Amino acid sequence: MFKIKNADFVISAVKKNQYPQTGLPEVAFVGRSNVGKSSIINALTNRRKLAKVSQTPGKTRLINFFIINNNEFYLVDLPGYGYAKVSKAEKESWGKTIETYLKGREELKRVILLVDSRHKPTADDIQMHEWIKFYGYDEVIIATKSDKLSNNEQKKSEKVIRETLKLTKEDKLYFFSSLNKKGKDELVDKLFCDINSNVIDGEVTSN
């Protein structure tokens, strides 16, 4: 089972020439500004303050790179989107920052799209899902704040998320709570165990 032993902040970036140029694989996290992205990154990496949890949604405007397990891969925290109380120009700027990163980033192996398990995915969530698919990245969807739902509510939520995003049975969707961290080790393994492998003709081979 894959384990995250250590995680450290490396750099914040906006432009491509500021991204790390090491060639290491990357896994990016993206979601609405109030979806709990920083909390889930901190929970999965066992670092309470690795990603800064802001009391002001929409504050993160930069792409933050964190190195995992001493140069094994980068975990990438993309800016939150969809916050209503910012100008149209700011929204467009964040969108451009995210799309610039997604466009032709060879090191990017997987994108983790976070959606709020308590609500139907928004138009911004749908657009982000379509962007990820358009650029051809492997996608995993995590429904956050699942501790707020009963088992029946979670089943209903899964149905709504899958229908709204038009997911197939093969599309990966997991529920997680940064509060109770139930199933954390299993989720870490599912998200990161094969990052240093190449998939060739359906077979996984290690680098």
Side-chain angles (χ1 to χ4, degrees):
M1 180 174 281
F2 182 86
K3 294 185 182 299
I4 292 180
K5 304 179 187 74
N6 50 64
D8 295 290
F9 171 76
V10 176
I11 194 170
S12 293
V14 175
K15 300 175 181 178
K16 280 197 171 188
N17 61 9
Q18 298 170 320
Y19 302 164
Q21 303 298 322
T22 61
L24 290 174
E26 297 171 1
V27 179
F29 281 68
V30 68
R32 284 175 59 81
S33 56
N34 58 354
V35 78
K37 180 160 52 67
S38 296
S39 296
I40 196 170
I41 289 173
N42 291 341
L44 295 178
T45 58
N46 294 314
R47 289 281 306 274
R48 282 194 305 163
K49 297 180 180 179
L50 183 69
K52 294 178 181 178
V53 180
S54 174
Q55 298 303 313
T56 307
K59 193 173 182 181
T60 303
R61 294 165 172 79
L62 304 171
I63 299 174
N64 294 310
F65 290 82
F66 305 96
I67 194 69
I68 304 298
N69 292 352
N70 299 325
N71 293 332
E72 194 161 344
F73 67 91
Y74 287 103
L75 188 157
V76 184
D77 181 9
L78 296 175
Y81 57 80
Y83 187 52
K85 296 180 181 179
V86 296
S87 69
K88 184 179 178 181
E90 277 190 285
K91 286 183 181 179
E92 289 175 351
S93 174
W94 298 346
K96 188 175 181 181
T97 298
I98 294 171
E99 190 170 18
T100 296
Y101 172 73
L102 291 177
K103 192 174 181 180
R105 183 64 175 167
E106 290 185 8
E107 292 87 345
L108 181 57
K109 303 304 180 186
R110 179 168 296 141
V111 181
I112 315 299
L113 174 61
L114 306 179
V115 297
D116 192 323
S117 66
R118 304 167 300 173
H119 306 293
K120 180 179 178 179
T122 65
D124 288 323
D125 292 327
I126 295 169
Q127 182 183 34
M128 183 56 62
H129 168 65
E130 290 175 349
W131 267 5
I132 295 166
K133 290 294 187 182
F134 176 79
Y135 287 118
Y137 296 113
D138 181 49
E139 180 188 44
V140 177
I141 297 166
I142 297 179
T144 64
K145 307 180 183 181
S146 62
D147 60 289
K148 311 293 185 185
L149 304 180
S150 66
N151 287 338
N152 280 339
E153 288 171 334
Q154 185 168 311
K155 288 177 183 177
K156 291 178 182 176
S157 173
E158 179 170 0
K159 187 173 185 291
V160 169
I161 293 169
R162 285 192 174 277
E163 288 179 352
T164 305
L165 297 180
K166 299 178 181 177
L167 304 183
T168 67
K169 289 182 179 180
E170 288 71 35
D171 287 321
K172 297 178 281 289
L173 169 62
Y174 305 114
F175 282 73
F176 185 73
S177 164
S178 300
L179 200 62
N180 62 31
K181 302 179 184 178
K182 185 178 178 181
K184 186 199 79 171
D185 291 342
E186 291 81 359
L187 183 59
V188 166
D189 191 56
K190 288 171 181 174
L191 295 181
F192 307 119
C193 71
D194 58 349
I195 289 307
N196 276 306
S197 300
N198 292 321
V199 178
I200 303 173
D201 297 329
E203 294 185 4
V204 177
T205 58
S206 297
N207 285 336

